[in-house]
Amino acid sequence: SKSVECFYKSKRIAAHVRSYKKYGFTTLGEHMPKAHEEHAKYSISHIKSWAKKIGQQTVEFIDHMIASRALPPQAYRSCYGLLRLSQRYGNERLNKACEKALVIRATRYQQVESI
């Protein structure tokens, strides 16, 4: 009841303290496959490049959103969702919303969307 163990061909390959946090992540970076690490590098460069086209406040909010997660890849989908808001509302409006979100210390895509 206090731990989770992972087995492969009857051999224990990992053990973790069990988390009861609803919808929480407990992924350890060192347990991610190499392919995921490579994909993560591409994703972050693409996200930051897109954010720079929108504005400085968007770049800062993206950095803030990524830093608020235990592992950066946990924020990537939210980052892409945030950046897609520029297609609906325009770059200037999204950048202003990110500026306000930073002031109130928001960390979620939904918070910016509501602004």
Side-chain angles (χ1 to χ4, degrees), residues 7 10 41 58 72 74 81 86 89 97 101 111-112:
F7 290 86
S10 299
K41 289 176 189 172
T58 305
Q74 294 171 346
S86 68
Y89 299 109
Q111 293 168 302
V112 176

Side-chain angles (χ1 to χ4, degrees), residues 74-87:
Q74 294 171 346
Y76 292 170
R77 284 189 62 194
S78 295
C79 288
Y80 281 118
L82 177 88
L83 296 169
R84 278 192 301 273
L85 290 175
S86 68
Q87 296 169 345

